[in-house]
DNA sequence: GTAATACTGAACCACATGGTTCACTATTCG
DNA sequence: CGAATAGTGAACCATGTGGTTCAGTATTAC
């Protein structure tokens, strides 16, 4: 697959999993260790580590190992780009409807 | 994998591919056939059909076969739910920062 | 020092994804 | 009618995903 873009790909992919969305919400409340998260989602440490890795690769989470514990907190990316993409898309939709409305306005009564 | 949610999973997954995001943008301008899209992205009909199928399953596109041509147009889902999820998440982040600021405010000068 | 804890990495599994080709059907054009 | 066009479905392929287990290492607690 040709990769035209980088960031939106990985962040939208990260958001496509319910576990990862919930991990984000949980981390928005408070930082957590891999064990904390694995326990909360009844998953193995290894399994949760992979999810955290995906989130980290997308810039949504950062981690830091302190002693034997890896602490996870929210990363630098706060979904601004994703928000922008969706907003731009929705404004394109509106623009299209506006043009349609304008067209209907212009042609009103032309074909009685 | 346990499926807690349905719609956000499929729509975010649909958005995770640059070809599909561009297909949405293109369809926002004008409706198109599978051939149109396949040509625009230099891809086989079969390949593009699969992308369109993913978008259709996510409710982002609808298609209708007219004669031998399958027309694709934007579907009923306009990313409102996805927008809402991101907005909610971002407001949680703000709330957390507010609590942090409040805490700093409250404890100002307590430990000189 | 021994034991428990926290994580890590490799290996494995079933299934999904993003593509392709090829053979086929249905529709339209001349 | 015959040829070109538009799409479809199955099969295939390499790679990714969402998990697991198991065997480690490093850290901390007793």
């Amino acid at each position: 697959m040709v990769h035209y873009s980088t960031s939106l790909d990985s962040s939208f992919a990260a958001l496509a999993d319910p576990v990862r969305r919930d991990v984000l919400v949980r981390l928005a409340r408070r930082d957590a260790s891999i064990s904390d998260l694995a326990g909360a989602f009844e998953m193995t440490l290894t399994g949760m580590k992979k999810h955290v890795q995906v989130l980290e690769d997308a810039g949504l989470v950062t981690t830091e190992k302190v002693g034997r514990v890896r602490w996870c907190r929210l990363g630098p990316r706060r979904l601004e780009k994703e928000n922008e993409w969706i907003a731009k898309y929705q404004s394109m939709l509106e623009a299209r409807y506006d043009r349609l409305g304008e067209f209907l306005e212009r042609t009103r009564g032309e074909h009685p």
Side-chain angles (χ1 to χ4, degrees), chain A:
Chain A
M1 181 186 58
V2 189
H3 236 233
Y4 305 95
S5 157
T6 53
S7 61
L8 289 180
D9 290 10
S10 56
S11 51
F12 277 134
L15 292 177
D17 188 288
V19 170
R20 287 192 296 259
R21 286 197 302 275
D22 285 358
V23 165
L24 285 182
V25 167
R26 182 167 282 258
L27 290 180
R29 287 203 295 267
R30 69 181 68 85
D31 296 348
S33 67
I34 302 283
S35 293
D36 291 342
L37 297 171
F41 293 92
E42 294 175 315
M43 191 178 295
T44 57
L45 286 178
T46 314
M48 181 51 72
K49 175 101 190 311
K50 286 191 179 183
H51 279 303
V52 169
Q53 188 67 55
V54 171
L55 290 165
E56 197 167 10
D57 290 347
L60 300 173
V61 161
T62 52
T63 70
E64 186 195 358
K65 190 136 183 187
V66 178
R68 62 186 168 180
V69 178
R70 179 170 296 279
W71 287 99
C72 309
R73 78 202 71 229
L74 292 179
R77 308 261 295 100
R78 267 90 208 275
L79 303 182
E80 307 90 354
K81 289 272 170 33
E82 296 70 20
N83 215 356
E84 277 169 32
W85 192 91
I86 293 179
K88 203 186 87 201
Y89 175 67
Q90 290 177 333
S91 77
M92 287 185 65
L93 298 182
E94 279 186 37
R96 186 175 185 184
Y97 290 137
D98 289 352
R99 285 201 306 277
L100 177 62
E102 201 181 288
F103 171 77
L104 292 175
E105 196 71 20
R106 249 187 300 112
T107 59
R108 194 212 307 255
E110 276 183 11
H111 307 288

